[in-house]
Amino acid sequence: MQVFMPNIATKKARSYLAFINTCMETFKNITDRQKTDAWLKSNGINANQIYVGTAELFQAQKLATNTLKNHVKLLEQNQAATLNNFLRAANGAKRSKITQGQCFKVLNITKQAQRKYAKLIKRKLGSAG
């Protein structure tokens, strides 16, 4: 297999290849960033928020977003309100003031919703069999 090389001196060829490599690396970085930003957005996190918060905050934000998307019918009214209020704070100016206790409260609510969902699935599978 022959690689295309323009008819130029070796020094110029190296700089040409270095330029091509730089362009390809930049393109790869841009596409990787777009994929990452899309994943973060699907989990309710803005790319600009990535530098503010703890691991618990990110986990709570992701789970609250997914629970409200997928299992909102399993939540009580006050639980849904708590998750919505949390997400509003997490996406706003009060993000840095969210406490670990608030994050754990959200994590507990999402865990309860996951348990309710698992029980429903178990009942459906049990009655189908």
Side-chain angles (χ1 to χ4, degrees), residues 36-54:
T36 302
D37 290 350
W39 183 86
L40 287 169
K41 186 177 180 182
S42 72
N43 287 292
I45 301 169
N46 187 335
N48 297 333
Q49 298 170 338
I50 206 75
Y51 301 106
V52 179
T54 61

Side-chain angles (χ1 to χ4, degrees), residues 17 20 34 47 56-57 61 73 75 84 86 101 123-124:
L17 288 174
I20 297 252
Q34 289 172 341
E56 291 85 7
L57 175 60
Q61 192 172 1
K73 292 181 179 180
L75 296 172
N84 280 317
F86 175 81
R123 273 191 235 137
K124 284 182 181 179

Side-chain angles (χ1 to χ4, degrees), residues 23-82:
C23 291
M24 293 298 291
E25 195 64 32
T26 301
F27 176 76
K28 183 180 179 306
N29 289 342
I30 290 170
T31 56
D32 288 349
R33 178 175 290 263
Q34 289 172 341
K35 288 178 186 176
T36 302
D37 290 350
W39 183 86
L40 287 169
K41 186 177 180 182
S42 72
N43 287 292
I45 301 169
N46 187 335
N48 297 333
Q49 298 170 338
I50 206 75
Y51 301 106
V52 179
T54 61
E56 291 85 7
L57 175 60
F58 287 111
Q59 186 177 16
Q61 192 172 1
K62 176 186 173 191
L63 289 173
T65 300
N66 290 333
T67 300
L68 287 171
K69 274 188 207 173
N70 302 323
H71 307 299
V72 72
K73 292 181 179 180
L74 300 175
L75 296 172
E76 296 172 13
Q77 188 174 1
N78 62 338
Q79 291 175 324
T82 300

